[in-house]
């Protein structure tokens, strides 16, 4: 078990590195060998290890939560897991929240963001090679949120981080943060659960089911062993379209697109199969193509399954009892227009935590994705947890 | 152009009959030849034709809105369009609202319900034979809500109905009822639009797009010309699952299924592809199988497209201006938990109608499907429009 570049000679903010964390016995009992976690860091770990912040990404997110802060990386950056030059300078999904002087101030905090186990951005996932040197494909096991936390605890060990000042995430990242606080109460000082819940609802299971079928029914899926042929991008794209609708609000779609036609297309053709598109169809198609270009279908199935596994009470008695073991500060926040993780589910979580906790409201017209879009509001909430 | 059994010697309530209504020039300009509408009736048309009520079914509904009221049909019923014995005694989708003594009292009213043009229950649709004696398949044209009304106006002519005392429908049936009032203001005395809107929203277009792709991406779809081979039931089933989630409420799914496992199945398996199901997954699978057994995929695409076409203002200036030509009584009602046709869209419709109109609220935990489930409440509203 070796540590790859976990203590680089030069600080490389926002550049993908990897840690080999060995065999992991999953919740299901499956033993996953040779696990690797890819991750990025920003800032410097204090000698006493007291300034570490773990940022957890959402379903199809990745470790690039923020751009690299040092100058000159562009040309000299190392190659990332996929052999692409790591674009440290590229924007991250929480730019504005993480950086020098930002809410998560990288002049003060050492920020870590790891690609989820089961994904496709450098951490071990279905496209990784199994011990027989073929991709895992259909053989890749089911990964629970708790499994992802177990892997990240190993990463923390490798990085010399005994205790996180804060673990923070939105959406499935919030579920991951919550499980950290429950699985390792002694290692989490504060936990921020944004646009997430204590357990995934029947509704979310239903959407997860539909998305999984969209991929599995693609003939190119080949039961998951498609790596030697064409990939099931059509099915993946459909899964993304379904998901994306649930990530936004009906009001936003109405305001942005209404019933307008896609430019230079006419939805009023004589035949459904050949008519032009409505703009909202073009928008969803664009989201589908974008995701298929950066994501592997098996990895999508894996993270989808991980999200569906989320139930902090599972095997721990009641929700209240499961959360009784936690001992951290809490920030619970919900997006007012979120229909996938509605505010009442954040309230259910807050009510079940030990002590009294308010649910903070993020105001957004955009639905669930508000946790990514309304960074000034999220920043104000985080500054209260990470005071100067 | 012949009329088939439009004036049967014996009254046959709730039995499918058909009318040949000739060539129809569609909104798109496409000329659809030899159009047939299958329909059912209940009660007897008054000699002056003054007691006719048109009931419009929803997306995958059919003409069997209510069971037959006469005794003894079970064994002697004629065969229906598909060669099956017409099950007049089988329950209809609005049983309890239509029948002797019901809100739509068949002792008093002559009730008509027609299968939608483009569907698969006897009216001309994609599975019907084109003039070359092969199924229309991919050649079947796009049908708008207005096209369906044009076809039904021909049917009304054949039945000797100059004017409807009431046209009523829920969901897409409400859209069809609304277009009746706008297309033929002189032929509609009262119009009841339940759980529907004045125009389909961006959100509904988005769901329609996802559902269409679910079918089109099924390899058995064969671009719509699959009738000589296996049918794209997997794609149709996925479309139905997507739709069905939008028809219900998250609360109902949570209360009925939560995170429970399907009986004798275990969602906590080692691999996503072989794990047992959650109950809500089993429920959606059941809905998918049920629909695939009674519906044709091309017909689903057709009615889905028809719903997407719904915009009463299209080509008529503003919404208010489009509705200014109407001259009927109105009943506008919404289901409080409906997220597909939310109450605010019923309010938008009511506000744009000539005169002052209240939106009546149907209280239901079940979401959009409340218009089918909460028949006592719908009945009370309809009794006000059809007084004794």
């Amino acid at each position: 078990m070796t540590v790859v570049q976990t203590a680089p000679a030069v600080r490389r903010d926002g550049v993908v590195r990897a840690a080999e964390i060995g065999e992991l016995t999953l919740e299901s009992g499956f033993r996953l060998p040779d696990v690797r976690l890819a991750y990025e860091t920003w800032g410097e770990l204090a000698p006493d290890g007291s300034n570490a912040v773990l940022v957890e990404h959402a379903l199809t997110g990745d470790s690039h939560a923020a751009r690299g802060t040092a100058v000159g990386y562009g040309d000299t950056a190392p190659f990332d897991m996929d052999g692409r030059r790591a674009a440290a300078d590229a924007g991250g999904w929480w730019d504005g929240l993480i950086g020098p002087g930002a809410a998560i101030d990288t002049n003060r905090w050492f920020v870590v963001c790891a690609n989820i186990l089961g994904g496709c951005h450098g951490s071990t996932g279905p496209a990784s090679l199994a011990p027989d040197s073929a991709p895992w494909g259909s053989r890749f096991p089911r990964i629970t949120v708790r499994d992802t936390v177990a892997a990240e605890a190993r990463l923390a060990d490798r990085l010399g981080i005994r205790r996180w000042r804060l673990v923070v995430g939105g959406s499935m990242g919030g579920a991951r943060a919550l499980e950290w606080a429950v699985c390792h109460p002694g290692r989490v000082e504060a936990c921020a659960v944004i646009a997430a819940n204590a357990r995934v609802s029947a509704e979310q299971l239903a959407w997860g089911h539909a998305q999984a079928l969209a991929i599995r029914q693609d003939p190119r899926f080949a039961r998951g062993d498609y790596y030697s042929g064409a990939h099931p991008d059509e099915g993946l794209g459909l899964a993304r379209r379904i998901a994306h609708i649930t990530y936004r609000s009906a009001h936003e779609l109405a305001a942005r697109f209404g019933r307008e036609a896609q430019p230079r297309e006419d939805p009023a053709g004589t035949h459904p199969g050949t008519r032009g598109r409505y703009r909202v169809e073009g928008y969803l198609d664009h989201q589908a193509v974008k995701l298929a270009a950066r994501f592997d279908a098996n990895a999508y199935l894996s993270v989808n399954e991980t999200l569906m596994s989320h139930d902090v009470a599972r095997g721990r008695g009641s929700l209240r009892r499961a959360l009784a073991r936690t001992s951290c500060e809490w920030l619970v926040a919900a997006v007012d227009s979120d229909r996938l993780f509605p505010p009442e589910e954040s309230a259910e979580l807050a009510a079940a935590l030990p002590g009294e906790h308010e649910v903070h409201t993020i105001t957004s017209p955009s639905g669930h994705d508000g946790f990514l879009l309304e960074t000034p509001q999220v920043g104000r909430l985080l500054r209260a947890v990470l005071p100067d």
Side-chain angles (χ1 to χ4, degrees), chain A residues 179-195:
Chain A
E179 272 292 352
W180 252 103
V182 177
C183 292
H184 300 287
R187 302 185 74 169
V188 179
E189 285 176 34
C191 181
V193 182
I194 301 170

Side-chain angles (χ1 to χ4, degrees), chain A residues 45-52 152-153 155-165 167 180 183-189:
Chain A
L45 185 61
D48 65 356
S50 64
N51 70 332
E152 289 161 21
L155 173 64
D157 294 343
R158 300 293 181 286
L159 295 173
I161 297 164
R162 172 67 207 139
R163 197 170 156 85
W164 299 103
R165 175 63 192 90
V167 182
W180 252 103
C183 292
H184 300 287
R187 302 185 74 169
V188 179
E189 285 176 34

Side-chain angles (χ1 to χ4, degrees), chain A residues 104-188:
Chain A
I104 304 178
D105 185 349
T106 52
N107 289 331
R108 174 159 183 187
W109 305 106
F110 178 64
V111 181
V112 178
C113 185
N115 284 298
I116 194 167
L117 180 65
C120 54
H121 293 109
S123 294
T124 297
S128 302
L129 300 185
D132 65 358
S133 298
W136 280 99
S138 63
R139 302 172 299 166
F140 193 76
R142 194 173 69 93
I143 304 289
T144 67
V145 176
R146 295 180 199 175
D147 293 329
T148 70
V149 169
E152 289 161 21
R154 294 255 189 101
L155 173 64
D157 294 343
R158 300 293 181 286
L159 295 173
I161 297 164
R162 172 67 207 139
R163 197 170 156 85
W164 299 103
R165 175 63 192 90
L166 170 69
V167 182
V168 55
S171 192
M172 181 155 89
R176 297 164 69 193
L178 178 59
E179 272 292 352
W180 252 103
V182 177
C183 292
H184 300 287
R187 302 185 74 169
V188 179

Side-chain angles (χ1 to χ4, degrees), chain A residues 62 64-68 87-95:
Chain A
D62 59 33
H64 202 57
R67 66 183 72 239
D89 288 353
W93 52 267
W94 248 3
D95 271 333

